[in-house]
Amino acid sequence: MTLPTAHAEGLILCETCGLVCDPGREPHPHCPRCGTTLHARKVDSIRRTWALLIAAAILYVPANLLPVMSTYTLFNTSHDTIMSGIVYFWNTGSPDLAILIFAVSIFIPLAKILCMVLLLIAAQYGVDKGLRQRALMFRVIEFVGRWSMLDIFVITMTVGMVRFRSLATIDAGPGAAAFGAVVVLTMIAAHTFDPRLIWDRSEKKS
Amino acid sequence: MNDPDLPIQAPDPKVSRAPRWVPSLIWLVPLVAAIIGGTLAVRQIRSTGPTIEIEFATAEGITPGKTKVKYKNVDIGDVTEVHLNDDRTKAVVKVELDHSAEAFAATDSRFWVVRPRLAGATVTGLGTLLSGAYIGVDGGRSKDEQKHFVGLESPPVVTSDEPGKRYVLHADDIGSLDVGAPVYFRRIQVGHLEQFSLDDDGQSITVGIFVRAPYDRFITPETRFWHASGIDLSFDAGGLKLQTQSLATILLGGIAFEPLPGSDVNTPAPEGAEFALAADRSTAVKTPDGPPQTVVFSFRNTVRGLSVGAPIDFHGVTIGQVQSIHLTHDAKTDTYLAPVTAVIYPERLGEAVDSGDAKARAAALVKRGLRAQLRPGNLLTGQMYVALDFFPEAEPAKIAMVEGGAVQLPTVDAEMIEIQTQVRSILKKIEGVPFDEIGKEARDTLVTLNKTLKRLDGVMSDAKTDTLPELKDSLRAISQTLSGDSPTQQDTRAALRAMTDAARALKSLADGLDRNPEMLIRGRSSNK
């Protein structure tokens, strides 16, 4: 049984004001109420999402290998990557913190990229199984995405606060930039992905 | 499925699709990401130099990820890993050098751990008290790459960027020297002892020293080195000798050198030249001794006062020294002999004994009366030395070969011993005097004398009681007799008067006779 969809009826939802419009035969329809350009589906969604995801995946490597934070103290200089920070917290008796950082900074970005890849492939080939699970997955991805910026937030805070000249200085490393880019790119990718595509093909098939 | 209510059935719009081969602009994003990622990766790869492994006896103070490798206090690498080697005898420290420090992975680079260290008079590495230890490096010059190093346990005394030369010294013992001990030239510190090691045969020690430029040009093939270690106090047949170099060497020891006087100072010795390290300055500047010859002297008398190291003297020149003193029993003559083994340097005798058949020369010398004799070197300390001298009147003797190539030289008794012998014979004669009997007789005499005196004493006491009153009476009688009015006196006077008369008569008679001799016959003439 197929449910009637707006797309099937030739109607387009205005993404800005939520008005259901009938684009008629306009090649570039606009919302009659707010004037937003109307698209039946997000333009070039799959291709753009792929591009962003690939970029995120590429940057994920330096984000984890390069130091995110450089600490210069009077006696010592250390460069810490995300992983070395986790190991440090684990070894110094804060396993809870270590687990949190691991989850937020390593596991979630990676899981996000993998899930997006899964969604994209499924949408591209019109897999019609587990539609609801994929929809849930997408919702979780969208919700959880912003929390990956926790690391970056901590780093920017400490870099701003710990400035004691030669006594102690903390600098953000190149890894932080890469990591931030990964998070931003996955967020944009999640935004670019049109979840309606999950159903489109499967419905077309049926 | 168009809405049937719509009045106009518009024609389908022409859809012109962008050509598929033109990539969408969105692909610029992953492209930029790839470029950034690639750049970061390339930079990271470019900035990491070779990874090397250094073995240390202990990894004390070395923390992976924290400990740095520093050259002239510039970070050139990080310790990434510390583990034990396979047989658990060493700690292996894995170091990731920076790209710019690639040249430090050379075969002659040296690594050591910089910790606070107190060595001799110097304290080093105080800064590491707070910052923690780091690995110091002395960059090698070699072009050959090496990845595995054995770390030094202490910082090298001389770093490779210091100009100067290294030399090798051979010594009998290390004295009070240690790595880092100073090398002095005219009491200026010009270098350091870098290392020392016992030779494989265990007979001598090889010492490596470094002499800084420009002082290295004073080291010529004719330079002599000696121990300037501590206080050199010797108390031997030559008397008391005290030598020091500087106050620091008294505590730390050191090496001093000096070119031989009159030697050419314009030809510096090449790097790595080998020298002998003498025990003291006087030994160092002595002419080389040439091959030593072991000799044995068998003394029949006591060798008290002769010590190992005592000089062998020939005409006042020390030509060797005593090495050992033993005691043996000669069954043939049932006497005890003291064989003294000594080393002499025949070349010190100059042309008297030069190269050639040393045994024949020695035999000839012995034939001329060469004998060894113990002589007192220092009356104060009672030290003895062995003198070689000619005694033409000595009993003829021959040299003998002892096992081990030693030559046994004949001996004569010491002068002191001759004197002792004479004294002893005098004493023996004195001993021959029968002091016992003499004493006995003297005692007897004394006893007799005593008796006599006792008897005299008795006589005297008898005389006192018996004889004295009588004597007194006699004297009184004499005195009475002699007094002026005593009858005896009167009588005597009368007698004398009578005698005077008689004399007068005689005189008149004599006169008469003189005048009239016929008076004797005719008698006196009456008036004529």
Side-chain angles (χ1 to χ4, degrees):
Chain A
M1 175 191 120
T2 50
L3 293 170
T5 63
H7 188 58
E9 299 299 329
L11 299 174
I12 298 174
L13 180 77
C14 171
E15 281 173 54
T16 313
C17 65
L19 182 72
V20 179
C21 313
D22 185 349
R25 295 196 176 271
E26 285 281 322
H28 299 289
H30 294 272
C31 172
R33 188 162 65 180
C34 66
T36 311
T37 312
L38 296 175
H39 300 288
R41 293 289 178 264
K42 282 180 183 168
V43 182
D44 220 4
S45 171
I46 289 185
R47 197 190 295 173
R48 287 183 188 178
T49 312
W50 267 123
L52 293 167
L53 270 185
I54 289 169
I58 290 172
L59 289 177
Y60 185 78
V61 178
N64 280 292
L65 292 184
L66 295 185
V68 290
M69 200 164 82
S70 301
T71 317
Y72 306 97
T73 63
L74 193 55
F75 315 122
N76 219 333
T77 301
S78 66
H79 304 284
D80 288 297
T81 61
I82 295 173
M83 204 60 211
S84 75
I86 293 166
V87 169
Y88 173 80
F89 279 120
W90 185 270
N91 286 340
T92 51
S94 313
D96 40 358
L97 264 180
I99 290 167
L100 178 73
I101 299 173
F102 178 79
V104 165
S105 304
I106 297 209
F107 177 72
I108 290 180
L110 188 65
K112 224 160 74 172
I113 292 170
L114 291 177
C115 290
M116 288 300 296
V117 168
L118 193 74
L119 288 175
L120 277 173
I121 291 171
Q124 229 171 345
Y125 292 97
V127 179
D128 52 0
K129 278 174 194 152
L131 297 173
R132 288 187 71 88
Q133 284 85 334
R134 274 189 270 148
L136 178 74
M137 194 191 276
F138 179 74
R139 281 205 301 281
V140 170
I141 286 169
E142 239 195 343
F143 170 75
V144 109
R146 68 204 71 169
W147 291 102
S148 291
M149 286 307 251
L150 194 72
D151 253 20
I152 300 298
F153 180 68
V154 169
I155 290 169
T156 31
M157 290 287 282
T158 50
V159 166
M161 288 193 294
V162 185
R163 290 266 159 202
F164 305 120
R165 302 259 166 183
S166 57
L167 273 179
T169 305
I170 293 179
D171 275 344
F179 185 79
V182 169
V183 177
V184 170
L185 283 172
T186 49
M187 279 168 76
I188 299 174
H191 184 75
T192 327
F193 183 70
D194 197 330
R196 289 171 288 188
L197 292 169
I198 298 172
W199 288 275
D200 276 358
R201 298 285 178 99
S202 62
E203 290 200 351
K204 240 176 233 174
K205 269 189 190 170
S206 58
Chain B
M1 285 192 277
N2 290 329
D3 194 335
D5 297 340
L6 283 175
I8 312 148
Q9 199 70 3
D12 284 343
K14 280 183 197 159
V15 177
S16 61
R17 301 191 73 95
R20 288 207 70 88
W21 52 269
V22 177
S24 161
L25 276 180
I26 195 67
W27 290 107
L28 281 178
V29 176
L31 189 70
V32 169
I35 290 169
I36 292 171
T39 319
L40 287 174
V42 167
R43 197 197 291 167
Q44 189 69 21
I45 291 165
R46 290 274 318 257
S47 72
T48 49
T51 302
I52 58 168
E53 284 188 328
I54 313 167
E55 278 183 13
F56 287 111
T58 164
E60 184 197 339
I62 297 176
T63 324
K66 292 270 185 283
T67 308
K68 304 284 176 199
V69 180
K70 291 186 183 183
Y71 177 68
K72 293 191 188 292
N73 239 0
V74 175
D75 286 1
I76 59 161
D78 294 285
V79 172
T80 55
E81 196 188 318
V82 177
H83 58 88
L84 291 175
N85 66 353
D86 294 339
D87 56 358
R88 290 179 292 176
T89 53
K90 294 254 185 173
V92 180
V93 175
K94 207 176 239 179
V95 170
E96 208 165 77
L97 289 178
D98 290 348
H99 181 68
S100 57
E102 216 169 5
F104 285 96
T107 44
D108 53 348
S109 285
R110 294 176 293 174
F111 296 87
W112 66 96
V113 181
V114 179
R115 304 186 178 103
R117 214 177 284 271
L118 181 73
T122 53
V123 181
T124 55
L126 267 191
T128 58
L129 271 180
L130 295 171
S131 64
Y134 64 87
I135 294 178
V137 57
D138 179 34
R141 303 266 167 86
S142 170
K143 291 277 175 245
D144 298 330
E145 199 173 79
Q146 188 177 330
K147 290 288 170 70
H148 196 95
F149 295 90
V150 176
L152 308 177
E153 290 315 311
S154 56
V157 179
V158 182
T159 50
S160 58
D161 54 351
E162 200 168 354
K165 285 199 189 113
R166 288 178 168 76
Y167 303 98
V168 178
L169 305 182
H170 297 286
D172 285 342
D173 68 86
I174 196 67
S176 57
L177 296 176
D178 201 352
V179 171
V183 176
Y184 292 99
F185 175 57
R186 305 202 185 281
R187 311 244 160 120
I188 303 173
Q189 194 183 329
V190 298
H192 289 286
L193 190 156
E194 273 198 297
Q195 45 153 331
F196 60 86
S197 59
L198 193 65
D199 288 349
D200 290 339
D201 58 359
Q203 295 298 307
S204 60
I205 284 167
T206 303
V207 179
I209 61 161
F210 177 83
V211 178
R212 283 197 304 274
Y215 304 104
D216 56 344
R217 68 191 161 94
F218 296 112
I219 294 184
T220 67
E222 287 294 285
T223 299
R224 296 298 158 83
F225 290 84
W226 69 90
H227 275 288
S229 297
I231 300 174
D232 188 1
L233 179 69
S234 52
F235 199 49
D236 56 12
L240 183 73
K241 216 191 272 176
L242 173 72
Q243 273 194 331
T244 65
Q245 189 68 211
S246 78
L247 201 59
T249 54
I250 292 175
L251 296 170
L252 303 173
I255 294 171
F257 69 85
E258 201 176 279
L260 267 192
S263 66
D264 182 16
V265 294
N266 293 321
T267 51
E271 172 126 29
E274 303 197 7
F275 298 93
L277 179 61
D280 51 44
R281 188 178 175 278
S282 52
T283 323
V285 297
K286 236 185 264 176
T287 47
D289 289 327
Q293 170 68 47
T294 309
V295 291
V296 177
F297 314 110
S298 273
F299 290 107
R300 277 166 293 182
N301 312 104
T302 173
V303 289
R304 186 180 171 75
L306 186 72
S307 53
V308 172
I312 311 295
D313 180 289
F314 181 73
H315 280 243
V317 177
T318 302
I319 60 161
Q321 64 213 30
V322 172
Q323 280 208 316
S324 63
I325 302 165
H326 301 287
L327 194 64
T328 58
H329 180 251
D330 186 7
K332 227 190 293 175
T333 55
D334 194 24
T335 49
Y336 283 96
L337 295 174
V340 173
T341 311
V343 166
I344 62 167
Y345 300 95
E347 281 190 17
R348 285 196 196 167
L349 293 171
E351 290 178 0
V353 177
D354 53 9
S355 58
D357 190 356
K359 194 189 160 193
R361 295 261 176 189
L365 284 171
V366 168
K367 204 170 182 185
R368 279 175 56 197
L370 184 78
R371 299 286 186 275
Q373 189 185 39
L374 274 178
R375 285 181 189 168
N378 188 323
L379 283 174
L380 199 67
T381 60
Q383 298 282 333
M384 305 285 274
Y385 68 95
V386 179
L388 290 178
D389 212 339
F390 291 102
F391 296 90
E393 303 92 26
E395 293 171 32
K398 276 183 184 166
I399 62 162
M401 296 305 286
V402 188
E403 54 184 316
V407 177
Q408 181 163 6
L409 292 177
T411 62
V412 294
D413 289 348
E415 279 164 6
M416 276 297 276
I417 289 163
E418 280 174 13
I419 294 169
Q420 275 179 8
T421 320
Q422 289 175 10
V423 169
R424 198 177 298 141
S425 71
I426 292 168
L427 283 176
K428 208 169 261 172
K429 272 175 201 155
I430 292 172
E431 223 165 68
V433 177
F435 283 109
D436 272 8
E437 287 168 32
I438 292 171
K440 207 173 171 191
E441 277 166 24
R443 202 167 58 199
D444 289 354
T445 315
L446 280 174
V447 167
T448 320
L449 194 65
N450 204 12
K451 275 181 194 162
T452 315
L453 282 173
K454 243 177 215 159
R455 214 172 292 150
L456 197 64
D457 197 36
V459 172
M460 285 302 282
S461 64
D462 286 357
K464 203 174 180 183
T465 49
D466 305 340
T467 322
L468 267 180
E470 281 173 25
L471 197 66
K472 218 182 266 171
D473 290 350
S474 307
L475 283 174
R476 198 176 291 131
I478 290 170
S479 158
Q480 275 175 4
T481 313
L482 291 177
S483 65
D485 51 348
S486 69
T488 319
Q489 195 93 334
Q490 305 255 346
D491 292 351
T492 310
R493 211 174 286 157
L496 281 173
R497 210 173 284 135
M499 271 176 75
T500 311
D501 288 348
R504 203 176 287 140
L506 268 173
K507 194 183 179 224
S508 64
L509 175 65
D511 286 346
L513 276 174
D514 198 25
R515 263 174 283 152
N516 293 318
E518 66 275 14
M519 201 171 83
L520 259 175
I521 305 157
R522 290 175 190 175
R524 200 184 270 192
S525 60
S526 45
N527 273 355
K528 199 194 162 171

